[in-house]
Structures are given as structure tokens and as C-alpha cells.
Amino acid sequence: MAHEPLIFFHLKLVAKVGVAVSVLALAALMVALMSITGEAGASYDAIIRARSLTRENLAMAMLIAGLVLVAITGLITWLIVLYSSFRVAGPLYRFSQNLRLASADDATALIELRKGDALFAQAATIQRAVAAWRAHHLAHQRALDLAARALAAGDAAQYADAMAQLKTLDDKVRL
């Protein structure tokens, strides 16, 4: 399954947020400019009076526009973080469920990741590890059964062979 590199996903997302915030900033600037400009065809005296009144209101207009932009940017950032965390938290939950299922039962199928989730390489590593663990567990069980049958039959050579297999399997898991 070919996936677009994660860096392109993040770059596209950052670009979209940048464009959205720029459009919002432009809209806030237009609203602020419309609120401080004078009427068309007004006299010079009226424009000067209007400018002095708008200068008093300019700080409040800029404060309100800035707060709106910060709130919207914070909301967009929160949504991105929420979306991104689900892309990581979902796979982590599936990893823990796969490990729980693998330790409980050798025949249970593992849970696959969703299409949009991150951590596909790690999921493949966990699946290989679980498959290797299951194969090791099966080989260990077979060697134990062989040793038990050899002991019951009194076959010392077959018992020694089974114990050698168990020792080899034990050596594989020692760190």
C-alpha cells in the first residue's frame, strides 16, 4: 500500500492553515479599514474630525480584530492537533490490542490500521514480531510435546534431542 510521505501531508495542512489565517486577517483588516474611513465626498474638516474620532476607536478595533484572529487560529490549531492525535492514538490503541490478542490466543487475527492512520511501518514491525513470537511459541510447544512423549516412552536419545531443541529455542529469546 503506497502512502504519500507524511511530510507532504503536514506541509499541505500547514499551507491550508496559513491561507485560511491570511484570508481571515485580510477580512479583519477590511472591516477595520471600513470602520475608520470617512464617507466619500466629505469635506476636509469632516475628514479630520472623523480621523481624530477613529484614532480613539482604532485601538479597540485592532484589539477586537486581533482577539478574533487569535481565537480562530487557536481553534484551527486545536482541530489540527485533535485530528493528528487521532491519527497516532488510533494506531497505538491497535498496537496494544494486537499485543493483548497475540498473548491471549495464537489463532486470533491482528487488527489492521485504518487507511488514514499513521505509523504503518511500526504496524508492520509489530505484525512481524507477533508472527515470530507465535512461530517461536509453536516450536516451543512442539519441542515440549516431543520431550514429554520421549520421557513417557523412555527414549533417552529422543529426549536429549527435544531438550537440545528447547535449549536452542531458549537461546533465541535471551538478550
Side-chain angles (χ1 to χ4, degrees):
M1 182 184 292
H3 290 287
E4 185 177 86
L6 201 54
I7 187 71
F8 292 125
F9 168 76
H10 290 295
L11 286 176
K12 285 180 184 177
L13 197 56
V14 167
K16 287 177 185 176
V17 169
V19 168
V21 169
S22 298
V23 167
L24 288 171
L26 184 60
L29 177 64
M30 294 310 252
V31 167
L33 285 176
M34 285 191 300
S35 69
I36 64 171
T37 56
E39 298 172 8
S43 70
Y44 180 73
D45 187 38
I47 291 173
I48 295 297
R49 269 191 247 119
R51 298 285 179 201
S52 66
L53 290 176
T54 56
R55 192 176 334 151
E56 294 170 7
N57 297 330
L58 184 59
M60 185 57 72
M62 289 180 69
L63 178 66
I64 291 171
L67 289 175
V68 167
L69 283 175
V70 167
I72 291 172
T73 305
L75 177 67
I76 290 171
T77 303
W78 178 74
L79 290 173
I80 290 171
V81 168
L82 186 66
Y83 176 73
S84 297
S85 68
F86 282 144
R87 289 175 42 90
V88 172
L92 291 177
Y93 173 75
R94 285 170 178 72
F95 293 167
S96 68
Q97 291 303 310
N98 282 341
L99 294 175
R100 184 184 59 78
L101 290 171
S103 65
D105 185 10
D106 288 338
T108 304
L110 299 180
I111 302 170
E112 295 293 324
L113 294 183
R114 297 173 297 206
K115 185 178 179 179
D117 282 339
L119 306 175
F120 274 95
Q122 292 78 8
T125 302
I126 287 178
Q127 288 175 345
R128 284 191 303 273
V130 166
W133 179 81
R134 285 178 172 174
H136 178 80
H137 186 273
L138 182 62
H140 192 267
Q141 191 61 44
R142 287 180 181 159
L144 280 175
D145 291 343
L146 180 64
R149 284 194 309 272
L151 189 60
D155 188 351
Q158 193 178 24
Y159 181 75
D161 185 43
M163 292 308 290
Q165 287 178 11
L166 284 170
K167 174 136 179 48
T168 302
L169 290 170
D170 186 50
D171 290 340
K172 283 184 179 180
V173 294
R174 294 204 186 257
L175 299 176

